[in-house]
Amino acid sequence: MELLNRINNFLWSMPLLVLLMGTHIYFTCKLRFPQRRLWYAIRLSMGKADNTDANLSPFSALATTLAATLGTGNIIGVSTAVALGGPGAIFWCWITGILGMATAYSECYLSVLFRCRRPDGAYVGGPMYVLKNGLHNNLLGGIYAACTLAAAFGVGCTTQANSVTQAAAATFRLSPHLVGIVLAFLTSVVILGGVKSIANLCERTVPAISFVYLLGCLLLLILYHRQLPETFALILRDAFSFTSAAGGVAGGALQHAVRYGVARGLFTNEAGIGTSAIAAAASHTSQPRIQAYVSMTAVFWDTVVMCLITGLVVVANMLYDPASVAGAAQTDLTAAAFSHLPYVGNAFLTVSLAAFAITTLIGWSYFGEKATEYLIGKKGIPYYKLAYILMIYFGAIIPMNLVWECTDLINAMMVLPNVLALYLLRSRIKP
């Protein structure tokens, strides 16, 4: 644990943050700010979901990506970022989302460009195929696929199950074993049905869950309306401050704000890691540019909207009721804010967290499935699914410190080959 902690603190304190922010800025400039076409991208993403052939519609690919990225990072991750980096971390998380859209566009463009078509007509792709077919480096493709598989069991599986367990135990006093069994059963019903089953559930549930959660956040912001001007001022001031933030929350210096804001922004939207490109490659669209624009909106909804709204709720509550966050654990700041939601309180947050976690479990199962197919072929997929379902249960009952540290290291290992491919193949990416 100590060794992993030291390695992660080094990687995520400066080298990777500089690499990722530099990549985001570079592709934003190279592609002439593709974010300016956000409204066009959103209109493209709202097209009819047609999954009649072996592949997915652009909207279904987007929904599958959002299912994997919308989860504990938007709720627990934001709370941790504020606790460790101060309110200014929200600003840097938001900036990561704005600039990260260009990187997500680039990843998905290359993934569609270098994907493969199976005999049954289905497309498969992602950074491992970009490394293999674009850079002709099967070794790096294999390393990326292996890291994706490990991440599926980590960030996509055990951490999600454990977050739901902790919330359910605190709110409803439910047994971790019971929660683990229920989560494993619900997930297995969907993922055993294959990619179409996953896509159909995601396109129906992800927008609904997101809307309900945002509605709860907006109700809280109405309650905190008198604190909102000071909330925005505090976030902006603390984002560039060299002194500690007020309110008893650890961190607040510029370095901490940038470190935790950018790291949590990456954790939740995964721009630079490349996993969203795996779902993008399954789209039946023949134009890389179209799917790249559609997939780019996942970063917008995930970080620019969801993380910002959650962050505003957390910081506004610090001003509205400072006593509720005094001595609170890193992960409890969001719970403290939602305790003021009339009638339902933290039960609403727990149910939202569980719903997001289930969709994340389902979305990440697809990423791991494609990694398994790349490494050992389709024959290994049934064994992977069985292991994934079992890990949901074990994730609900085991201590998570080691899993989180391993996940941070795996994410770092995925960033390096993915960003390398982006730079070496940058001439192939068109705005």
Side-chain angles (χ1 to χ4, degrees):
M1 275 293 296
E2 184 178 353
L3 177 61
L4 281 173
N5 187 259
R6 287 184 178 181
I7 293 173
N8 286 329
N9 281 340
F10 168 72
L11 289 174
W12 290 106
S13 62
M14 190 57 66
L16 280 176
L17 299 190
V18 171
L19 174 64
L20 285 166
M21 287 303 288
T23 301
H24 293 346
I25 294 170
Y26 174 80
F27 283 100
T28 294
C29 297
K30 180 188 182 301
L31 299 174
R32 300 191 297 276
F33 201 71
Q35 297 90 331
R36 75 187 189 281
R37 306 205 67 187
L38 177 62
W39 180 241
Y40 168 73
I42 292 174
R43 284 193 288 113
L44 284 176
S45 70
M46 297 302 177
K48 183 181 179 182
D50 179 13
N51 298 322
T52 54
D53 62 6
N55 298 292
L56 304 179
S57 70
F59 176 74
S60 294
L62 171 64
T64 303
T65 299
L66 284 172
T69 56
L70 290 175
T72 56
N74 302 92
I75 301 175
I76 305 299
V78 170
S79 176
T80 304
V82 174
L84 296 175
I90 300 301
F91 172 82
W92 293 109
C93 181
W94 187 75
I95 289 296
T96 301
I98 291 288
L99 298 176
M101 284 192 280
T103 302
Y105 176 97
S106 303
E107 293 168 342
C108 295
Y109 189 102
L110 290 178
S111 187
V112 174
L113 189 64
F114 291 108
R115 64 189 176 181
C116 296
R117 190 162 197 166
R118 296 193 314 224
D120 62 359
Y123 288 114
V124 288
M128 52 275 203
Y129 290 91
V130 173
L131 291 162
K132 177 184 177 182
N133 300 328
L135 294 183
H136 308 291
N137 194 318
N138 200 31
L139 175 61
L140 281 180
I143 291 173
Y144 184 91
C147 289
T148 302
L149 184 58
F153 287 116
V155 65
C157 183
T158 52
T159 58
Q160 303 298 323
N162 195 264
S163 296
V164 176
T165 297
Q166 293 182 13
T171 306
F172 302 117
R173 303 291 187 267
L174 295 178
S175 164
H177 295 278
L178 175 62
V179 175
I181 291 171
V182 171
L183 285 175
F185 173 75
L186 292 176
T187 305
S188 66
V189 169
V190 179
I191 68 174
L192 292 177
V195 62
K196 290 300 182 65
S197 175
I198 293 173
N200 289 336
L201 178 93
C202 292
E203 69 187 35
R204 287 173 172 79
T205 58
V206 171
I209 296 169
S210 303
F211 175 79
V212 172
Y213 174 74
L214 286 174
L215 182 61
C217 290
L218 291 175
L219 289 175
L220 284 171
L221 291 179
I222 292 173
L223 176 66
Y224 304 147
H225 69 278
R226 295 183 184 277
Q227 285 74 36
L228 285 182
E230 189 178 352
T231 296
F232 283 104
L234 177 60
I235 290 173
L236 291 174
R237 185 170 63 249
D238 193 61
F240 301 95
S241 174
F242 289 93
T243 58
S244 297
V249 179
L254 178 62
Q255 180 180 354
H256 288 288
V258 175
R259 185 240 195 268
Y260 289 102
V262 173
R264 290 307 161 190
L266 172 70
F267 173 79
T268 182
N269 65 47
E270 298 170 18
I273 294 179
T275 47
S276 63
I278 298 174
S283 168
H284 59 52
T285 182
S286 60
Q287 301 181 54
R289 177 176 166 276
I290 296 298
Q291 186 57 50
Y293 271 121
V294 171
S295 297
M296 181 184 78
T297 63
V299 178
F300 171 76
W301 295 119
D302 181 276
T303 307
V304 179
V305 176
M306 296 288 282
C307 286
L308 176 62
I309 296 298
T310 302
L312 289 175
V313 167
V314 169
V315 177
N317 178 66
M318 290 165 50
L319 300 171
Y320 177 82
D321 185 9
S324 67
V325 299
Q330 295 174 12
T331 57
D332 289 344
L333 298 184
T334 311
F338 273 85
S339 66
H340 295 105
L341 195 64
Y343 304 111
V344 291
N346 281 331
F348 176 88
L349 180 64
T350 300
V351 172
S352 297
L353 181 62
F356 279 129
I358 290 173
T359 59
T360 301
L361 287 167
I362 292 167
W364 259 98
S365 73
Y366 175 76
F367 296 161
E369 178 181 328
K370 296 298 106 178
T372 300
E373 181 178 343
Y374 181 90
L375 291 169
I376 58 177
K378 295 189 69 174
K379 63 181 182 295
I381 291 177
Y383 302 102
Y384 158 76
K385 289 182 177 180
L386 176 60
Y388 191 86
I389 292 167
L390 290 174
M391 281 303 296
I392 294 173
Y393 169 74
F394 288 118
I397 62 175
I398 63 175
M400 292 303 294
N401 287 344
L402 182 61
V403 175
W404 275 109
E405 291 295 337
C406 289
T407 296
D408 281 345
L409 182 59
I410 291 167
N411 281 347
M413 293 174 64
M414 294 170 72
V415 166
L416 298 176
N418 180 59
V419 170
L420 175 66
L422 289 178
Y423 278 112
L424 293 179
L425 295 170
R426 62 189 181 277
S427 63
R428 304 294 299 274
I429 304 170
K430 308 299 180 184

